[in-house]
Amino acid sequence: MSRPYICFGTAVIVSMLIFCKLGFISIVAITVAAFVCCVPFFIFRNKNDILNSIFICCLSLLVSSSVFITKTVTDYEPAVALVSEEKRSLCGTLCEYEEAYGKHYYTITDVRVNSTEIRQKIRVCSDIYRNAEIDDIFTFTDAVIYELGAASGNEASYTAENIYLGAYTQENFQITKAEKHSVRYYTNAVREFISAALDKNISPRYSAIINGMLTGDTSEIKNHDLMNFRYSGIAHMFAVSGFHLSLWTGILSSCLSRIFRNKHLLNNCICIIFILFFMAVTGFSKSVIRAGVMMLIFIAGKMIRHESDPLNSLFISATAIILVNPFAVMSISLQMSFLATLGILILSTPVAEPIKKLKDKISFRPLYRFILALYSTVMISVIASLFTMPVSALSFGYISVAAPLTNLLCAFPAQLLMLLSGVYVTLSGIPFLAKPIALICTYLTKFITDTSAHIATMNHSVMDTTAPVLQIILMAVLILMMIFIILFRESNKGLMITLFSTAATIAIVAVCAISVQSSGIRISVADVGNGTSVVLHTSDTDMIISGGGSSYRDYRLTNIADTEPSGSYDMLLIPRNTETESGYTYSLLNRYSFENCIFSDDKYPAYITDFLPENTVFTDNCNIQIDTDTTLIYNNSEAFSGVRIISGKFTCTILFRPLSDFSVVPEDWAKGSLLITRQSLPDIDLSGFENIIVSSSKEVIYTNRNIYTTRYSGQIDYRMYRSGTSVITEERHDYKR
């Protein structure tokens, strides 16, 4: 049979996804089914392609189950067994540092817990910053170990990186300088050199964006810029993978072929070294590893005079990564990189046919090459955005309908920007050459940033896809699409089926999203630190309930509120005139228009009252029917400050002060579908709430799986559908793609 690696790899990828989602019950069922399906292969003597395919699939399922069980038993479970409230001493080698929300995260490897060596890395959180370098030895004396991501439901993103444990410490710690350095130290030095070179002649906002495109480090990019890139559909430009690696490797290979003519072995060896170097500089992310392994297979095929099949290479590289770490299949960057590459390999050649027909009509060859390069770049970006839409829909809860338009406008400028910024970094030591290139890079970055911002705020540029039924349909269509691709790729009929399947996927997503996005109720909780800020959407009403927060975090609320394209809201509710509860009022009144406002009886300054609409009510208690199905009850006093929302089957309590006395409000306020509070949990029996969201800027650890905290997320979205089902999704702004 042709392409057995595709058959084997597809079964591995799908089975590992099922194992990660459903756990050991699915492993038992799939293993038994695989054994049963292997029987016909040994019974029938005349084995055709169908039997061979079934056998390979069953074999891959057995391999997947055994690898997954081995990884879980030998790696994951021993790590989780270390979780405890007990304070312990930790000692390890620094391999990564990150700052987020005023906290400092030190990821250490070669760890010793109370003098006992363990295999796992640990990500230690501390309020204390210490100037340290990669490979320095860290010693913590009072660390409390917890399961990383358990409090926020983000375990998958960490386990995909082989990090299962987190720890937090409140005391000082010791650092011992490293006597010798590993490869990590030097690759990190290269990353720092690139960042410093960009900062020399480019403004911090744009240098952070360029650095993200070059190295994949998005930690310094402004939050609203990242959100615009995601909503406009060009966030894949920051998932450094095949697009970036093939660009630089292609340029290098072209230069080497001119310098070392007829020395193919030397050229290929240099390309292999560069690929390994590029993978190290970009932090060995799953998408880069996939692209790197694929290109290494391709170059190895050239070196032994065999033509390698790109589609086979893609599945071999993805399968190898997943078999080494089964949890890597949950890596969003790997999923998007894999699907984008799959779409490009399948559709790039037929899509390029129309432009190739112009070759005989354009006599000026440089012009033809430019048109071909421009057309190919744009179409590759459009194909990548289309094929990654399913991942966006399932993982982020939305899709960017405007992604094809954004890629059409930004793909070529982005590729030109990557090329010129790489040249700029290389020439950064020569000011008279570097500065003009930096100026061009600045204008290109500004164009991409402004374009994405305008498109992201267009009406219906983003569609909600969090409905459970929609996600099931989407997954089914995606699996069918992959089957069609594998079985019918060689024929024109197969190409038409592939195109039809892709179009059908997008059409189903769009139709279902339109049909469900206005149903039910949606609450978005912003991570504003010390405060409770919520955007409420019902079928008929949009309103903002803002209990303030740290003033430097107001953009996290406006990131959510900006998704209302008209900028107009039905209501604004502000509980009290204090910095932590009305601190956002001025910026909200200046940024959006409100038909009605509810303020407490406190006195407010003129710069706020001058902007209030006529329909403003000053009260501490009210009962409002905000639409035909939804009632809002507001209660504000010294003993209790909060809101109760009732909408059909949905009931929610929002606290502005976590220590509110529930004895002064009706008993049903202490139970319901959702509780939203700030900083800490109220002193009541919480078993009556199905889900709890805590808006907190502190390192809060909760073992209950129904408690979510914005400390680990940029925002948390809660959606209750008319059917009674609810979905919680999170936007992690500190996640590195």
Side-chain angles (χ1 to χ4, degrees), residues 250-294:
I251 294 172
L252 177 63
S253 178
S254 178
C255 294
L256 290 174
S257 63
R258 297 175 184 274
I259 298 172
F260 304 108
R261 296 180 182 275
N262 301 321
K263 295 183 179 180
H264 302 295
L265 180 61
L266 177 61
N267 294 347
N268 289 330
C269 288
I270 294 175
C271 287
I272 289 174
I273 294 172
F274 171 78
I275 291 170
L276 296 173
F277 171 76
F278 186 90
M279 293 165 66
V281 169
T282 52
F284 288 105
S285 68
K286 294 296 179 289
S287 58
V288 173
I289 293 175
R290 193 277 312 152
V293 172
M294 183 177 173

Short mmCIF file of all heavy atoms in Angstrom, two decimals, residues 250-294:
data_model
loop_
_atom_site.label_atom_id
_atom_site.label_comp_id
_atom_site.label_asym_id
_atom_site.label_seq_id
_atom_site.Cartn_x
_atom_site.Cartn_y
_atom_site.Cartn_z
N GLY A 250 15.36 28.17 2.99
CA GLY A 250 15.39 28.37 1.54
C GLY A 250 16.38 29.46 1.13
O GLY A 250 17.12 29.31 0.15
N ILE A 251 16.39 30.56 1.89
CA ILE A 251 17.34 31.65 1.60
C ILE A 251 18.77 31.16 1.79
O ILE A 251 19.66 31.41 0.96
CB ILE A 251 17.05 32.86 2.51
CG1 ILE A 251 15.70 33.47 2.16
CG2 ILE A 251 18.16 33.90 2.39
CD1 ILE A 251 15.25 34.55 3.12
N LEU A 252 19.02 30.44 2.89
CA LEU A 252 20.36 29.92 3.16
C LEU A 252 20.80 28.96 2.07
O LEU A 252 21.94 29.03 1.57
CB LEU A 252 20.38 29.24 4.53
CG LEU A 252 21.70 28.57 4.92
CD1 LEU A 252 22.81 29.61 5.05
CD2 LEU A 252 21.54 27.79 6.22
N SER A 253 19.91 28.05 1.69
CA SER A 253 20.24 27.06 0.67
C SER A 253 20.56 27.72 -0.67
O SER A 253 21.49 27.32 -1.38
CB SER A 253 19.09 26.06 0.51
OG SER A 253 19.36 25.11 -0.49
N SER A 254 19.78 28.76 -0.99
CA SER A 254 20.02 29.47 -2.25
C SER A 254 21.38 30.16 -2.25
O SER A 254 22.12 30.12 -3.24
CB SER A 254 18.90 30.49 -2.47
OG SER A 254 19.12 31.23 -3.64
N CYS A 255 21.72 30.77 -1.10
CA CYS A 255 23.03 31.44 -1.00
C CYS A 255 24.18 30.44 -1.06
O CYS A 255 25.19 30.67 -1.73
CB CYS A 255 23.11 32.24 0.29
SG CYS A 255 21.96 33.64 0.37
N LEU A 256 24.01 29.31 -0.37
CA LEU A 256 25.08 28.30 -0.35
C LEU A 256 25.30 27.69 -1.72
O LEU A 256 26.44 27.38 -2.10
CB LEU A 256 24.72 27.19 0.66
CG LEU A 256 24.77 27.59 2.14
CD1 LEU A 256 24.26 26.45 3.01
CD2 LEU A 256 26.20 27.97 2.55
N SER A 257 24.20 27.50 -2.47
CA SER A 257 24.34 26.90 -3.80
C SER A 257 25.13 27.80 -4.75
O SER A 257 25.75 27.32 -5.70
CB SER A 257 22.96 26.61 -4.39
OG SER A 257 22.23 27.81 -4.56
N ARG A 258 25.12 29.11 -4.48
CA ARG A 258 25.89 30.04 -5.30
C ARG A 258 27.34 30.12 -4.83
O ARG A 258 28.25 30.34 -5.63
CB ARG A 258 25.25 31.43 -5.26
CG ARG A 258 23.84 31.47 -5.86
CD ARG A 258 23.21 32.84 -5.70
NE ARG A 258 21.84 32.86 -6.19
CZ ARG A 258 21.48 33.07 -7.45
NH1 ARG A 258 22.43 33.30 -8.36
NH2 ARG A 258 20.22 33.06 -7.81
N ILE A 259 27.54 29.97 -3.49
CA ILE A 259 28.90 30.07 -2.95
C ILE A 259 29.66 28.76 -3.16
O ILE A 259 30.81 28.76 -3.64
CB ILE A 259 28.84 30.41 -1.45
CG1 ILE A 259 28.17 31.79 -1.25
CG2 ILE A 259 30.25 30.42 -0.84
CD1 ILE A 259 27.90 32.13 0.20
N PHE A 260 29.04 27.64 -2.80
CA PHE A 260 29.68 26.33 -2.93
C PHE A 260 29.01 25.56 -4.07
O PHE A 260 28.13 24.72 -3.83
CB PHE A 260 29.58 25.54 -1.62
CG PHE A 260 30.15 26.26 -0.44
CD1 PHE A 260 29.32 26.77 0.54
CD2 PHE A 260 31.52 26.43 -0.31
CE1 PHE A 260 29.84 27.44 1.64
CE2 PHE A 260 32.05 27.09 0.79
CZ PHE A 260 31.21 27.60 1.76
N ARG A 261 29.38 25.85 -5.27
CA ARG A 261 28.77 25.20 -6.43
C ARG A 261 29.17 23.72 -6.47
O ARG A 261 30.33 23.37 -6.26
CB ARG A 261 29.20 25.89 -7.72
CG ARG A 261 28.73 27.34 -7.81
CD ARG A 261 29.17 27.98 -9.11
NE ARG A 261 28.78 29.37 -9.19
CZ ARG A 261 27.59 29.79 -9.63
NH1 ARG A 261 26.69 28.90 -10.02
NH2 ARG A 261 27.31 31.08 -9.67
N ASN A 262 28.19 22.89 -6.75
CA ASN A 262 28.39 21.43 -6.92
C ASN A 262 28.88 20.74 -5.64
O ASN A 262 29.36 19.61 -5.68
CB ASN A 262 29.37 21.13 -8.06
CG ASN A 262 28.90 21.70 -9.39
OD1 ASN A 262 27.70 21.64 -9.69
ND2 ASN A 262 29.82 22.23 -10.18
N LYS A 263 28.77 21.40 -4.49
CA LYS A 263 29.12 20.77 -3.22
C LYS A 263 27.84 20.56 -2.41
O LYS A 263 27.60 21.19 -1.38
CB LYS A 263 30.12 21.64 -2.45
CG LYS A 263 31.47 21.78 -3.16
CD LYS A 263 32.44 22.58 -2.33
CE LYS A 263 33.80 22.70 -3.03
NZ LYS A 263 34.77 23.48 -2.24
N HIS A 264 27.03 19.64 -2.93
CA HIS A 264 25.70 19.44 -2.36
C HIS A 264 25.77 18.89 -0.94
O HIS A 264 24.95 19.24 -0.08
CB HIS A 264 24.88 18.51 -3.25
CG HIS A 264 24.75 19.00 -4.66
ND1 HIS A 264 24.06 20.16 -4.96
CD2 HIS A 264 25.23 18.52 -5.84
CE1 HIS A 264 24.10 20.37 -6.27
NE2 HIS A 264 24.81 19.39 -6.83
N LEU A 265 26.72 17.99 -0.69
CA LEU A 265 26.83 17.39 0.64
C LEU A 265 27.13 18.47 1.69
O LEU A 265 26.51 18.50 2.76
CB LEU A 265 27.91 16.32 0.65
CG LEU A 265 28.14 15.61 1.99
CD1 LEU A 265 26.87 14.89 2.43
CD2 LEU A 265 29.32 14.63 1.89
N LEU A 266 28.07 19.37 1.38
CA LEU A 266 28.42 20.44 2.30
C LEU A 266 27.24 21.38 2.53
O LEU A 266 26.94 21.77 3.67
CB LEU A 266 29.61 21.23 1.75
CG LEU A 266 30.07 22.44 2.57
CD1 LEU A 266 30.50 22.01 3.96
CD2 LEU A 266 31.18 23.19 1.85
N ASN A 267 26.54 21.73 1.44
CA ASN A 267 25.38 22.61 1.55
C ASN A 267 24.31 22.01 2.45
O ASN A 267 23.73 22.69 3.31
CB ASN A 267 24.80 22.91 0.16
CG ASN A 267 25.76 23.70 -0.70
OD1 ASN A 267 26.75 24.24 -0.20
ND2 ASN A 267 25.47 23.78 -1.99
N ASN A 268 24.03 20.71 2.24
CA ASN A 268 22.99 20.05 3.03
C ASN A 268 23.39 19.95 4.50
O ASN A 268 22.54 20.11 5.39
CB ASN A 268 22.72 18.65 2.47
CG ASN A 268 22.01 18.69 1.13
OD1 ASN A 268 21.25 19.62 0.85
ND2 ASN A 268 22.25 17.71 0.28
N CYS A 269 24.66 19.69 4.77
CA CYS A 269 25.12 19.61 6.16
C CYS A 269 24.98 20.95 6.87
O CYS A 269 24.57 21.02 8.03
CB CYS A 269 26.57 19.14 6.21
SG CYS A 269 26.80 17.40 5.78
N ILE A 270 25.31 22.04 6.16
CA ILE A 270 25.16 23.37 6.75
C ILE A 270 23.69 23.68 7.02
O ILE A 270 23.34 24.24 8.07
CB ILE A 270 25.78 24.44 5.83
CG1 ILE A 270 27.30 24.24 5.74
CG2 ILE A 270 25.47 25.85 6.35
CD1 ILE A 270 27.98 25.18 4.75
N CYS A 271 22.81 23.29 6.10
CA CYS A 271 21.37 23.49 6.29
C CYS A 271 20.86 22.71 7.50
O CYS A 271 20.02 23.21 8.27
CB CYS A 271 20.60 23.08 5.03
SG CYS A 271 20.78 24.23 3.65
N ILE A 272 21.35 21.49 7.69
CA ILE A 272 20.94 20.68 8.85
C ILE A 272 21.37 21.36 10.14
O ILE A 272 20.59 21.44 11.11
CB ILE A 272 21.54 19.26 8.75
CG1 ILE A 272 20.86 18.48 7.63
CG2 ILE A 272 21.41 18.52 10.08
CD1 ILE A 272 21.48 17.13 7.36
N ILE A 273 22.61 21.87 10.18
CA ILE A 273 23.10 22.57 11.37
C ILE A 273 22.24 23.81 11.65
O ILE A 273 21.88 24.10 12.79
CB ILE A 273 24.58 22.96 11.20
CG1 ILE A 273 25.45 21.70 11.14
CG2 ILE A 273 25.04 23.87 12.33
CD1 ILE A 273 26.90 21.97 10.78
N PHE A 274 21.89 24.55 10.57
CA PHE A 274 21.07 25.74 10.74
C PHE A 274 19.69 25.38 11.28
O PHE A 274 19.14 26.09 12.15
CB PHE A 274 20.93 26.48 9.41
CG PHE A 274 19.92 27.61 9.47
CD1 PHE A 274 20.26 28.81 10.07
CD2 PHE A 274 18.65 27.44 8.95
CE1 PHE A 274 19.32 29.84 10.14
CE2 PHE A 274 17.71 28.46 9.01
CZ PHE A 274 18.05 29.66 9.60
N ILE A 275 19.10 24.30 10.76
CA ILE A 275 17.76 23.89 11.23
C ILE A 275 17.79 23.56 12.71
O ILE A 275 16.91 23.98 13.48
CB ILE A 275 17.27 22.67 10.40
CG1 ILE A 275 16.96 23.11 8.97
CG2 ILE A 275 16.02 22.06 11.04
CD1 ILE A 275 16.70 21.95 8.02
N LEU A 276 18.81 22.82 13.15
CA LEU A 276 18.94 22.50 14.58
C LEU A 276 19.14 23.76 15.41
O LEU A 276 18.57 23.90 16.50
CB LEU A 276 20.10 21.52 14.79
CG LEU A 276 19.94 20.14 14.14
CD1 LEU A 276 21.23 19.34 14.28
CD2 LEU A 276 18.77 19.38 14.78
N PHE A 277 19.93 24.70 14.88
CA PHE A 277 20.16 25.97 15.58
C PHE A 277 18.87 26.77 15.68
O PHE A 277 18.53 27.32 16.75
CB PHE A 277 21.23 26.77 14.83
CG PHE A 277 21.40 28.18 15.32
CD1 PHE A 277 22.08 28.44 16.50
CD2 PHE A 277 20.87 29.25 14.60
CE1 PHE A 277 22.24 29.75 16.96
CE2 PHE A 277 21.02 30.55 15.05
CZ PHE A 277 21.70 30.80 16.23
N PHE A 278 18.11 26.83 14.60
CA PHE A 278 16.84 27.58 14.59
C PHE A 278 15.86 26.97 15.58
O PHE A 278 15.15 27.70 16.30
CB PHE A 278 16.25 27.55 13.17
CG PHE A 278 15.03 28.42 13.01
CD1 PHE A 278 15.14 29.75 12.64
CD2 PHE A 278 13.76 27.89 13.23
CE1 PHE A 278 14.01 30.54 12.49
CE2 PHE A 278 12.63 28.67 13.08
CZ PHE A 278 12.76 30.01 12.70
N MET A 279 15.79 25.64 15.63
CA MET A 279 14.91 24.97 16.58
C MET A 279 15.28 25.34 18.01
O MET A 279 14.40 25.56 18.86
CB MET A 279 14.96 23.45 16.38
CG MET A 279 14.37 22.99 15.05
SD MET A 279 14.82 21.28 14.63
CE MET A 279 13.97 20.38 15.93
N ALA A 280 16.58 25.42 18.30
CA ALA A 280 17.03 25.75 19.65
C ALA A 280 16.71 27.20 20.00
O ALA A 280 16.24 27.50 21.10
CB ALA A 280 18.52 25.48 19.78
N VAL A 281 16.96 28.12 19.07
CA VAL A 281 16.72 29.54 19.32
C VAL A 281 15.25 29.82 19.58
O VAL A 281 14.90 30.67 20.40
CB VAL A 281 17.24 30.39 18.15
CG1 VAL A 281 16.78 31.83 18.27
CG2 VAL A 281 18.76 30.33 18.10
N THR A 282 14.37 29.12 18.90
CA THR A 282 12.93 29.33 19.08
C THR A 282 12.35 28.50 20.21
O THR A 282 11.13 28.38 20.35
CB THR A 282 12.17 29.02 17.77
OG1 THR A 282 12.54 27.71 17.31
CG2 THR A 282 12.51 30.03 16.70
N GLY A 283 13.21 27.92 21.03
CA GLY A 283 12.75 27.27 22.25
C GLY A 283 12.21 25.86 22.08
O GLY A 283 11.53 25.35 22.97
N PHE A 284 12.51 25.22 20.96
CA PHE A 284 12.05 23.85 20.71
C PHE A 284 10.54 23.71 20.94
O PHE A 284 10.08 22.77 21.59
CB PHE A 284 12.80 22.84 21.60
CG PHE A 284 14.22 22.61 21.19
CD1 PHE A 284 15.26 23.16 21.92
CD2 PHE A 284 14.53 21.87 20.06
CE1 PHE A 284 16.58 22.96 21.55
CE2 PHE A 284 15.85 21.66 19.67
CZ PHE A 284 16.88 22.21 20.42
N SER A 285 9.78 24.67 20.44
CA SER A 285 8.32 24.54 20.52
C SER A 285 7.88 23.39 19.63
O SER A 285 8.58 22.99 18.70
CB SER A 285 7.65 25.84 20.07
OG SER A 285 7.84 26.05 18.68
N LYS A 286 6.71 22.85 19.94
CA LYS A 286 6.23 21.67 19.22
C LYS A 286 6.08 21.93 17.73
O LYS A 286 6.38 21.08 16.90
CB LYS A 286 4.90 21.20 19.82
CG LYS A 286 5.02 20.70 21.25
CD LYS A 286 5.88 19.46 21.30
CE LYS A 286 6.05 18.95 22.71
NZ LYS A 286 6.88 19.78 23.55
N SER A 287 5.61 23.12 17.35
CA SER A 287 5.44 23.44 15.93
C SER A 287 6.78 23.51 15.22
O SER A 287 6.92 23.06 14.08
CB SER A 287 4.68 24.76 15.78
OG SER A 287 5.37 25.81 16.44
N VAL A 288 7.80 24.06 15.90
CA VAL A 288 9.13 24.16 15.28
C VAL A 288 9.76 22.77 15.18
O VAL A 288 10.41 22.45 14.17
CB VAL A 288 10.03 25.11 16.10
CG1 VAL A 288 11.45 25.08 15.57
CG2 VAL A 288 9.49 26.52 16.02
N ILE A 289 9.60 21.95 16.21
CA ILE A 289 10.13 20.58 16.15
C ILE A 289 9.50 19.82 14.99
O ILE A 289 10.20 19.12 14.24
CB ILE A 289 9.88 19.84 17.48
CG1 ILE A 289 10.70 20.49 18.60
CG2 ILE A 289 10.25 18.37 17.35
CD1 ILE A 289 10.43 19.90 19.96
N ARG A 290 8.17 19.96 14.83
CA ARG A 290 7.50 19.28 13.72
C ARG A 290 8.07 19.73 12.39
O ARG A 290 8.41 18.90 11.53
CB ARG A 290 5.99 19.59 13.80
CG ARG A 290 5.09 18.75 12.94
CD ARG A 290 4.98 19.21 11.51
NE ARG A 290 4.72 20.63 11.42
CZ ARG A 290 5.09 21.38 10.39
NH1 ARG A 290 5.78 20.85 9.38
NH2 ARG A 290 4.84 22.66 10.36
N ALA A 291 8.21 21.05 12.21
CA ALA A 291 8.75 21.58 10.96
C ALA A 291 10.20 21.17 10.77
O ALA A 291 10.62 20.81 9.66
CB ALA A 291 8.61 23.10 10.94
N GLY A 292 10.98 21.21 11.85
CA GLY A 292 12.40 20.86 11.76
C GLY A 292 12.61 19.41 11.39
O GLY A 292 13.43 19.10 10.51
N VAL A 293 11.89 18.51 12.05
CA VAL A 293 12.01 17.08 11.74
C VAL A 293 11.60 16.81 10.30
O VAL A 293 12.25 16.04 9.58
CB VAL A 293 11.16 16.24 12.71
CG1 VAL A 293 11.12 14.78 12.28
CG2 VAL A 293 11.71 16.35 14.13
N MET A 294 10.54 17.47 9.87
CA MET A 294 10.07 17.29 8.49
C MET A 294 11.15 17.73 7.49
O MET A 294 11.42 17.02 6.50
CB MET A 294 8.79 18.09 8.29
CG MET A 294 8.16 17.93 6.92
SD MET A 294 6.61 18.86 6.81
CE MET A 294 6.26 18.65 5.05
#
